[in-house]
Amino acid sequence: MIAIYPGSFDPITLGHLDLIERAGQLFERVIVAVLCNTSKQPMFSVEKRLEQIRHCTQHLPNVEVDSFLGLTVEYAKLRNARVLLRGLRVLSDFEKELQMAHTNKTLRDEIETVFLATAKEYSFLSSSIVKEIAKFGGSVAHLVPENVARDIYQYYS
């Protein structure tokens, strides 16, 4: 079975990577799908994020990295995926993610959303937190893959 793990991944964190690695053990194929969100001003271009994610998932043979524009359920249909993968860190994530799962179900009944609890050591971690720390000169090396940390430091230098 194919699972889509959609997100902006701006930047990808160790929490994201942990979820991708665990999903790779559960599904035949995992497609990490970078959303091209035109309403946000990202730190990194879609192309750069694809490159970063491919670099840090190269050890996972059943993980593919792609990008898409539009509705996630339409992308899932295009890729013959029946599962959308979402990570849950805290209770507030559940409310938002459950609402999105129900919405997606009304759009494509055959799509199921699977929630994976984030590993406890990453339960506080988000891309926004990484950007905030880096913006003020803090170290993010313990929060993101090494290649991404280098890119972040370069971005803020």
Side-chain angles (χ1 to χ4, degrees), residues 6 21 35 45 48 51 64 66 81 87 100 106 130 139 148-149:
E21 290 172 341
L35 173 61
S45 69
K48 185 64 173 175
E51 175 191 313
E64 179 184 336
D66 196 10
M100 186 56 64
T106 68
V130 169
S139 173
V148 177

Side-chain angles (χ1 to χ4, degrees), residues 7-152:
S8 60
F9 304 104
D10 186 43
I12 188 167
T13 69
L14 292 177
H16 292 132
L17 188 56
D18 175 65
L19 203 101
I20 293 165
E21 290 172 341
R22 290 169 40 218
Q25 296 172 12
L26 299 173
F27 297 98
E28 183 181 329
R29 188 159 43 129
V30 176
I31 301 171
V32 180
V34 177
L35 173 61
C36 303
N37 189 341
T38 55
S39 67
K40 286 188 175 181
Q41 198 64 354
M43 174 185 289
F44 298 116
S45 69
V46 170
E47 295 75 22
K48 185 64 173 175
R49 285 178 272 160
L50 292 171
E51 175 191 313
Q52 290 169 336
I53 298 166
R54 284 185 182 119
H55 180 82
C56 60
T57 60
Q58 64 189 346
H59 66 289
L60 303 169
N62 63 334
V63 171
E64 179 184 336
V65 182
D66 196 10
S67 63
F68 73 102
L69 180 65
L71 295 173
T72 305
V73 292
E74 294 301 323
Y75 177 74
K77 179 184 177 192
L78 180 73
R79 298 306 308 268
N80 296 314
R82 295 207 41 238
V83 172
L84 297 179
L85 180 65
R86 300 302 296 164
L88 297 175
R89 295 170 299 196
V90 293
L91 187 58
S92 59
D93 282 352
F94 182 73
E95 288 182 40
K96 182 183 77 173
E97 294 293 346
L98 185 61
Q99 181 182 28
M100 186 56 64
H102 289 317
T103 301
N104 286 335
K105 197 76 168 148
T106 68
L107 297 170
R108 290 258 172 235
D109 190 52
E110 67 275 13
I111 301 290
E112 295 292 341
T113 300
V114 172
F115 300 109
L116 287 181
T118 303
K120 66 180 181 242
E121 62 266 30
Y122 304 123
S123 63
F124 69 95
L125 186 53
S126 70
S127 296
S128 299
I129 286 173
V130 169
K131 287 188 265 195
E132 187 78 6
I133 292 168
K135 183 166 89 174
F136 292 104
S139 173
V140 295
H142 62 296
L143 304 175
V144 297
E146 185 179 319
N147 64 307
V148 177
R150 280 193 307 271
D151 291 342
I152 291 170

